[in-house]
Amino acid sequence: MAGLTEYVVLSAILFGLGAIGFLTRRNALIMFMCIELMLNAVNLSLVAFSHFRADLSGQVMVLFIFAVAAAEVAVGLAILIALFRHVKDVDITKYNLLKW
Amino acid sequence: MDPYFLVFAIMALGAGIFMIATKDAFPSALGLLTVFIALAALYLHLHAPLVAIFQVSIYAGSILVLIVFVIMLLMTPGQRLRALQRNLSYRIMGGVLGVCLMALLFIGLKGAGEVFSQRELPHDFGTPSAIGELFFRRFLIHFEVVSVLLLVAMVGAIYLAKRRS
């Protein structure tokens, strides 16, 4: 049976992949998706700990993270759409109006 | 070693690597969808059926739909869907996604209780009634605060996305 270690290692690798993707990609939509990947990695870690400690609070926290992630995606994409109307591109290197 | 865990862990990892490495945004969304489905199957294995249901309906069913909608909305003329359909690696990713969805479908038909891990847990662990008990007793304030947060996010998103007339 897969122990806690295997689940936490999987969660860590997924989180690392999300972080690498977030830092290296230039497409704003792919960056959003990498944020969601990181959140899912944390969710997996929480559910795994909840399972191996027989404590349901982990799953409750995951449900809260679902709600927060949904709100964050909605607002973030709204910002992106509003930004796209001006810049006409999702490439983040084009978002340089605030550069000195 | 647990074969169930290995199958879905490898699918999740492969889809994650594909997701961050691929050039276009739409196949990346497919990879993310595969990660969501594979994680939902893992949640079922971890005695978390309610979390698995929410994972599929909120993450795969709402958040990803919203992301794909915005991808389509903001797709620049250089990336037409027709060109994406010819790429071999995208087709393989689509195949893996199909396999993952079919696997979850068969698990659902067989019954989620069949894929629970062998650990000794209370028989109502992870059921909606047990989580509901926690939500309405210990985490009541948190629950109400998250409702307010969702309301604020809804208002903010509508205002931000409105076209300035």
Side-chain angles (χ1 to χ4, degrees), chain A:
Chain A
M1 207 195 85
L4 180 60
T5 308
E6 283 84 356
Y7 282 102
V8 171
V9 164
L10 174 63
S11 165
I13 296 178
L14 281 176
F15 189 89
L17 286 176
I20 291 174
F22 181 77
L23 292 171
T24 52
R25 301 304 303 257
R26 280 180 9 195
N27 190 330
L29 287 160
I30 297 186
M31 288 172 75
F32 266 115
M33 291 192 277
C34 291
I35 294 175
E36 293 308 312
L37 183 61
M38 284 193 270
L39 282 167
N40 271 279
V42 169
N43 282 352
L44 175 66
S45 160
L46 276 168
V47 172
F49 273 108
S50 159
H51 175 264
F52 285 100
R53 311 267 302 156
D55 185 2
L56 264 184
S57 309
Q59 296 188 16
V60 169
M61 183 152 180
V62 168
L63 294 177
F64 284 135
I65 293 178
F66 282 161
V68 168
E72 167 223 331
V73 166
V75 174
L77 289 177
I79 292 177
L80 183 64
I81 290 178
L83 189 54
F84 184 85
R85 288 203 190 113
H86 289 276
V87 186
K88 300 288 188 298
D89 200 352
V90 290
D91 188 345
I92 58 164
T93 57
K94 305 288 188 296
Y95 302 158
N96 55 2
L97 281 176
L98 285 179
K99 274 186 92 154
W100 55 85

Side-chain angles (χ1 to χ4, degrees), chain A residues 2 6-7 13 17 25 33 36 40 43-44 50-52 56-57 59 63-64 66 69 71 79 84-85, chain B residues 1 5 13 20 22-23 36 43 45-47 54-55 59 74 117 119 125 131 134-135 138 160-161:
Chain A
E6 283 84 356
Y7 282 102
I13 296 178
L17 286 176
R25 301 304 303 257
M33 291 192 277
E36 293 308 312
N40 271 279
N43 282 352
L44 175 66
S50 159
H51 175 264
F52 285 100
L56 264 184
S57 309
Q59 296 188 16
L63 294 177
F64 284 135
F66 282 161
I79 292 177
F84 184 85
R85 288 203 190 113
Chain B
M1 193 56 180
F5 168 79
L13 282 176
I20 68 170
T22 190
K23 194 166 65 76
F36 289 163
Y43 294 158
H45 192 51
L46 287 172
H47 289 251
F54 279 153
Q55 168 87 358
Y59 258 114
L74 307 184
S117 70
R119 200 167 171 83
F125 190 81
I131 294 189
L134 274 180
F135 262 127
R138 208 171 128 196
L160 279 170

